[in-house]
Amino acid sequence: MDYKKYAQHLLDAEENIQETDQITRIFDHEFTEEEGYEIQKELIKMKEAKGQKIVAPKLGLTTMAKWDQMGVESPIYGYVFDYMLVENGGSFKFEDYIHPKVEPEIGLVLKEDLQGPGVTRQDVMDKLAYVVSCLEILDSRYIDYDFTLGDVIADNTSARGAIFGREMIHPDIVDLPEEEAILKVNGEVKVQGKGSSVLGHPADALVFLANRLGEEGKAVKAGEIIMTGGLTAAVHVDKGDEIEVTYSNLGTIKLTVK
Ligand code: OOG
Ligand code: MG
């Protein structure tokens, strides 16, 4: 299968800021999860060939809120790149995105590499260095965020932006399942969600990732901020919006859409 062809199609959509129909429909093929990851790998290689650098892997579709919203019920992973980062308190230009959505997430940082198989929640907790507040900015390349599992994996899990909180919080002072994020747009509460919504415990997102990457002989690396998946349904944002996420223990993230 010509994975590069599908990757190029998705890269063009991102670079031209032009939404596309699902590759499943365009190429009349039901892409499996495995095929989705093969396309994603080609997409990652194309980005790296342009000098773009991976910051960290990210998890997606780890909560029921997201499963209900997207109609896809399986955790997935993709990669955050350097060009996607926005600083806390900063802004992005609406015109640079197709149809941006934001979602609050809990970021986890390991002090040692972790590689499956057989990784457990306890292994993640033993190796956990920090917890960081995050806000992901999604921008699916697909019309109306309408995709199958294979489509969204191929599309690098809709990744387009990420903001990390300034403070690295010690895990001893955060109860991960109880940690709550409240997201406001222009002062109005839009969504709120707790860590427990992430597969029951945010550490389990890293269990999934470490075991999954382990199958390819890869580790989850120490020091990377890994987003564990939207705590809530994602929220569409518009030009001029002021977004603020308040976490119970992880601080605040602010973002303006210009
Ligand atoms: C897919 C990306 C999922 C998350 O945190 O659930 C994701 C999407 O919803 O477009 O990043
Ligand atoms: Mg996300």
Side-chain angles (χ1 to χ4, degrees), residues 35-53:
E35 288 168 341
Y37 281 113
E38 291 303 323
I39 299 167
Q40 190 194 99
K41 272 185 206 146
E42 294 299 334
L43 182 66
I44 301 302
K45 274 196 244 164
M46 289 171 178
K47 289 177 185 292
E48 287 181 326
K50 289 172 183 281
Q52 297 172 339
K53 301 237 167 4

Side-chain angles (χ1 to χ4, degrees), residues 83-95:
Y83 72 91
M84 299 180 181
L85 297 181
V86 178
E87 67 176 333
N88 191 1
S91 62
F92 71 84
K93 263 175 62 197
F94 187 74
E95 284 80 15

Side-chain angles (χ1 to χ4, degrees), residues 118-161:
V119 170
T120 64
R121 184 187 294 177
Q122 195 56 49
D123 296 333
V124 172
M125 294 310 287
D126 288 347
K127 292 191 171 182
L128 196 57
Y130 299 109
V131 186
V132 185
S133 56
C134 301
L135 182 70
E136 178 163 29
I137 310 167
L138 297 173
D139 203 29
S140 172
R141 269 50 70 172
Y142 300 120
I143 295 166
D144 290 338
Y145 283 74
D146 181 17
F147 44 66
T148 66
L149 192 57
D151 288 320
V152 66
I153 292 169
D155 186 29
N156 192 23
T157 68
S158 310
R160 181 59 183 82

Side-chain angles (χ1 to χ4, degrees), residues 22-70:
Q22 299 174 352
I23 53 171
T24 296
R25 276 202 282 265
I26 294 178
F27 298 102
D28 194 22
H29 175 79
E30 245 342 288
F31 291 94
T32 63
E33 198 170 329
E34 287 69 31
E35 288 168 341
Y37 281 113
E38 291 303 323
I39 299 167
Q40 190 194 99
K41 272 185 206 146
E42 294 299 334
L43 182 66
I44 301 302
K45 274 196 244 164
M46 289 171 178
K47 289 177 185 292
E48 287 181 326
K50 289 172 183 281
Q52 297 172 339
K53 301 237 167 4
I54 289 178
V55 172
K58 56 156 274 201
L59 280 302
L61 308 181
T62 52
T63 62
M64 244 155 54
K66 293 283 307 194
W67 295 348
D68 288 347
Q69 183 179 35
M70 310 318 299

Side-chain angles (χ1 to χ4, degrees), residues 155-175:
D155 186 29
N156 192 23
T157 68
S158 310
R160 181 59 183 82
I163 302 174
F164 301 138
R166 287 196 195 90
E167 293 152 87
M168 302 287 248
I169 309 291
H170 196 274
D172 282 356
I173 60 165
V174 192
D175 182 358

